[in-house]
Amino acid sequence: MCGIIVRAGVGDALGELLTGLRNLEYRGYDSAGVALRRNDGEIVVCKREGETDALEADLDSDRLSGSVGIGHTRWSTHGAPSDANAHPHTDGSNRVAVVHNGIIRNYETLRRELRDRGHEFTSETDTEVIPHLVADALDAGIDPETAFRSAIDRIEGSYAIAMVVDGREEVYATRRGSPLVLGVGETANYLASDVPAFLEFTDRVVYLEDDDVVVVDAEGYQISDVAGDPIERTVETVDWDAGDARKGVYNHFMRKEIDEQPVSLRQTINGRIEGGKSVLSEFPQGSLADVDEVIFVACGTSYHAGMYGCTLLRRRGIPATAVPANEFAHEPMPVTDRTLVIAVTQSGETADTLASLRAANSSPARTLAVTNVVGSTAAREANDALFIRAGPEIGVAATKTFSSQVAAIALLADRLEDDGAGQSAGWSTAEETDRSADQIDRSVSTTATKNREGANGRTGGGDRAENDGQTAYDNGDVSELRALPDHVETVVGDGNAARLATQYADADSYFFIGRGVGYPVALEGALKFKEITYEHAEGFAAGELKHGPLALVTPATVVVAIFTGRNDERTLHNIREAQSRGAPVIGIGPESATDVREKVDEYLSYPDVGPNLAGILANVHLQLLAYHAAEIRDRAIDKPRNLAKSVTVE
């Protein structure tokens, strides 16, 4: 949830610590603080409620001069945002300063014990017990590293911790269940919750693992296990550009990252398509042949990407289910050794998703992480990993990573189908019951279908193809993925979302509806809208509108309907029900779907593409709609209230 930055090196540390804090504000912005070891050995702390700018305004740079320091930007868990609850926390004599992410579950017991021994506490946080435990050990004549280890041995929960001690040039740190990465520089070494914190200073990183203890100074670092035995960890080079972690000419990271989607999608698919088929080096041909079913586990936007993936797999005849990770972790589904559990997580550090992954790892199932971060916990703990290669995403509201997650899953779906996954499960491909619906839809989107000719004479996805007497969908996803970045660029350049955000700014509620892949996109559109505008927004399967939500529809309710070229006539029926109650309808669909365009109040179009990938393009319009709606309301778009980018505590 929160952000840690550590710097130990040559020269003054304060400027680099502040840069790191600004780069980490997407992880927490309730308060910020730094602790520096001055050249005379004294530990000096400055911390303030509010964002990093508030801290910087109060800094006394002369007093805070030193080459070793720790910093923290907080997202509150224990204790409200305040100066007192801000990190770093110290013992009573300022000999020890600590920053901490995570939750110490036994802190109340430890606090009572320490109080009984005369310790006084000045905050409501669980973190404050750590420096007091260390101080107790120092008072007993124990050296700082051993004192740090003894304190860690006493605490229970999830954490990433970094500590400085009066008179020592080293920083002591460890992690368990919360991310911490080491940056190896030429004149300084770093520790942080995430790589963008120090990306401007070094691109050489070491991904620490649970229970690693690291001691960092200007000369280097030493990593050991809980018993004190040395450990070797690989130094990797991150291929992210430091400019990716800066806004540049943009007012907000969110808008920058929406615009970056053509680039991020090209990175996702680069080298992964040959001859119209998916080629994944992670999964050679035949390596997925023993998969009978797929279960996606994820949270938030990643969960919606997993739902989208379910539809792609089901259309290929592969049984698939999406389960919120916070449910699967504690109520696991029955699995077999032919079940593939896919954990979708942008950071690879989402606590609920990791808990689900670990539950799956303890079962007969095979596990796979779909993630953006090489070296992340999810990537290390899953049996396999598929990287989306979207580059760093700073805005709290995920944008480009959703598109890249879906594109990566589309590639994986093609690989699974080619390997014959799901065949032994006896599940029928291409739902027979949809035949009549498809025939109806052809009357709505015949023109769009004709314009969607795929590679090798195949249609662009969703049309029927007879194969040995069994009805199946000819998906065409992989061929169409090549054109997807250019199509997204077209949508990004469409300025109509800004106009509609202003036109409907006074609405009371915003409903998002869709079918097939349009359903998870509706949920994702509503999530984006509510999290950055703070307005009431809900997403529904289009057919569910009349099963309750229609009672809430009034002329002050804007209904946003996603059309994908499949089952569009049914969705048109649903919007007519909303229009009859006076609600204005914004349709989002293919350029050539003229019948749809004529039946809605406003229309946002995207280039013609098959129904399997149409949701990605529709989603870009929804991102822009949410962005502009938040902008005209003057919201904190990159840092919406009460939210943080990476949820690393359950």
Side-chain angles (χ1 to χ4, degrees):
M1 261 326 166
C2 310
I4 287 173
I5 178 66
V6 170
R7 190 268 192 191
V10 176
D12 193 60
L14 183 59
E16 291 186 357
L17 288 174
L18 289 172
T19 296
L21 289 178
R22 291 190 194 93
N23 291 344
L24 288 172
E25 276 197 310
Y26 65 92
R27 297 184 66 92
Y29 39 85
D30 291 342
S31 58
V34 294
L36 276 87
R37 177 197 172 276
R38 292 178 7 140
N39 294 331
D40 61 7
E42 179 187 357
I43 301 296
V44 180
V45 175
C46 182
K47 55 184 184 175
R48 291 290 180 270
E49 178 185 357
E51 299 182 6
T52 303
D53 288 346
L55 170 70
E56 188 172 7
D58 284 346
L59 289 176
D60 182 342
S61 57
D62 291 333
R63 186 166 172 265
L64 284 165
S65 177
S67 60
V68 178
I70 59 178
H72 190 269
T73 181
R74 182 171 184 251
W75 192 90
S76 304
T77 51
H78 287 85
S82 69
D83 289 355
N85 289 333
H87 296 220
H89 288 284
T90 64
D91 67 314
S93 60
N94 265 26
R95 286 178 300 168
V96 180
V98 167
V99 291
H100 161 236
N101 294 347
I103 292 179
I104 299 173
R105 303 198 185 281
N106 62 333
Y107 85 99
E108 291 179 336
T109 300
L110 294 171
R111 185 182 284 237
R112 284 194 299 269
E113 175 189 317
L114 289 161
R115 275 181 172 151
D116 289 344
R117 295 207 298 272
H119 290 263
E120 295 182 2
F121 292 85
T122 60
S123 79
E124 304 169 85
T125 69
D126 53 345
T127 304
E128 198 178 357
V129 300
I130 302 172
H132 285 273
L133 287 170
V134 173
D136 250 10
L138 294 175
D139 287 341
I142 298 174
D143 67 274
E145 182 177 345
T146 306
F148 180 69
R149 291 178 181 276
S150 68
I152 299 309
D153 190 54
R154 296 290 313 280
I155 65 176
E156 300 170 4
S158 64
Y159 49 77
I161 301 168
M163 178 186 82
V164 288
V165 178
D166 189 358
R168 302 299 291 253
E169 296 182 356
E170 303 88 1
V171 179
Y172 308 89
T174 190
R175 62 155 287 176
R176 176 182 293 172
S178 191
L180 194 65
V181 60
L182 171 68
V184 182
E186 296 295 330
T187 60
N189 295 300
Y190 307 86
L191 289 163
S193 303
D194 205 353
V195 172
F198 55 67
L199 193 56
E200 293 168 57
F201 312 122
T202 183
D203 60 359
R204 299 176 66 228
V205 304
V206 176
Y207 293 99
L208 300 174
E209 299 189 15
D210 278 359
D211 297 320
D212 284 357
V213 176
V214 59
V215 181
V216 180
D217 59 23
E219 301 300 320
Y221 62 92
Q222 302 83 41
I223 305 173
S224 58
D225 61 18
V226 290
D229 297 324
I231 297 174
E232 292 292 330
R233 297 283 183 225
T234 303
V235 179
E236 302 182 32
T237 300
V238 178
D239 61 2
W240 293 350
D241 189 287
D244 291 341
R246 294 192 292 265
K247 284 187 287 191
V249 299
Y250 289 89
N251 292 326
H252 303 98
F253 278 111
M254 183 179 179
R255 183 57 203 256
K256 175 176 181 279
E257 288 156 2
I258 291 172
D259 287 3
E260 286 175 346
Q261 285 175 107
V263 174
S264 62
L265 281 165
R266 289 187 182 100
Q267 292 170 174
T268 300
I269 65 178
N270 184 41
R272 288 173 163 173
I273 302 173
E274 289 182 10
K277 299 304 296 179
S278 167
V279 179
L280 298 174
S281 60
E282 300 89 341
F283 301 102
Q285 190 165 4
S287 60
L288 297 170
D290 60 351
V291 173
D292 276 353
E293 64 170 344
V294 173
I295 299 174
F296 290 93
V297 293
C299 298
T301 290
S302 294
Y303 174 62
H304 298 153
M307 290 180 67
Y308 198 123
C310 281
T311 301
L312 297 182
L313 288 170
R314 290 170 185 159
R315 288 179 179 177
R316 292 174 179 270
I318 302 169
T321 307
V323 183
N326 30 56
E327 288 294 317
F328 185 92
H330 307 292
E331 296 287 345
M333 295 179 62
V335 299
T336 72
D337 59 359
R338 299 180 72 86
T339 302
L340 177 63
V341 176
I342 302 178
V344 187
T345 162
Q346 186 280 134
S347 66
E349 304 292 349
T350 306
D352 296 316
T353 306
L354 290 177
S356 289
L357 181 60
R358 288 160 185 159
N361 280 338
S362 66
S363 76
R366 179 177 175 180
T367 58
L368 163 65
V370 175
T371 184
N372 197 32
V373 182
V374 176
S376 62
T377 302
R380 293 197 308 269
E381 293 191 5
N383 298 139
D384 299 290
L386 178 62
F387 297 105
I388 68 171
R389 307 193 304 207
E393 185 177 69
I394 306 301
V396 168
T399 52
K400 66 178 181 178
T401 54
F402 176 84
S403 299
S404 288
Q405 284 170 341
V406 173
I409 292 169
L411 290 166
L412 181 65
D414 189 70
R415 174 79 273 154
L416 282 159
E417 183 185 37
D418 273 2
D419 280 358
Q423 287 185 2
S424 63
W427 208 58
S428 175
T429 62
E431 312 88 287
E432 288 290 343
T433 54
D434 249 4
R435 184 190 299 272
S436 60
D438 283 346
Q439 290 170 346
I440 294 172
D441 283 342
R442 288 194 184 100
S443 67
V444 178
S445 54
T446 299
T447 306
T449 301
K450 288 180 179 178
N451 288 340
R452 290 197 300 263
E453 292 302 321
N456 303 320
R458 299 198 305 176
T459 59
D463 283 342
R464 299 278 183 179
E466 296 298 325
N467 182 13
D468 296 329
Q470 184 178 21
T471 304
Y473 278 97
D474 187 4
N475 288 281
D477 303 12
V478 172
S479 296
E480 290 195 321
L481 274 172
R482 285 199 180 99
L484 196 60
D486 290 337
H487 291 337
V488 170
E489 196 158 4
T490 298
V491 176
V492 167
D494 186 330
N496 283 308
R499 174 180 62 81
L500 295 180
T502 301
Q503 183 174 331
Y504 295 109
D506 295 331
D508 292 339
S509 295
Y510 300 82
F511 284 4
F512 298 75
I513 63 172
R515 292 176 180 270
V517 297
Y519 172 37
V521 168
L523 295 177
E524 175 63 11
L527 176 63
K528 285 294 153 289
F529 203 91
K530 71 179 72 171
E531 68 184 343
I532 65 169
T533 69
Y534 313 152
E535 299 291 342
H536 177 243
E538 296 293 337
F540 304 101
E544 284 294 300
L545 194 63
K546 59 179 173 289
H547 291 281
L550 200 58
L552 300 175
V553 172
T554 72
T557 306
V558 174
V559 176
V560 182
I562 295 104
F563 296 89
T564 64
R566 183 164 183 231
N567 290 322
D568 287 351
E569 181 59 38
R570 294 181 179 186
T571 304
L572 283 171
H573 177 70
N574 298 130
I575 68 166
R576 282 194 288 269
E577 293 173 327
Q579 287 172 322
S580 69
R581 274 79 181 174
V585 174
I586 299 172
I588 301 178
E591 288 178 347
S592 57
T594 54
D595 287 0
V596 174
R597 187 190 298 265
E598 291 169 357
K599 292 179 173 65
V600 297
D601 299 287
E602 297 285 349
Y603 194 68
L604 296 172
S605 67
Y606 54 79
D608 293 334
V609 69
N612 285 342
L613 300 182
I616 297 177
L617 299 179
N619 187 62
V620 178
H621 274 305
L622 296 179
Q623 292 169 352
L624 290 166
L625 186 65
Y627 174 80
H628 291 297
E631 189 176 38
I632 63 178
R633 289 167 172 81
D634 197 27
R635 305 300 194 210
I637 291 174
D638 287 334
K639 295 173 283 188
R641 67 188 182 198
N642 305 331
L643 301 177
K645 180 67 174 175
S646 182
V647 181
T648 56
V649 294
E650 289 188 72

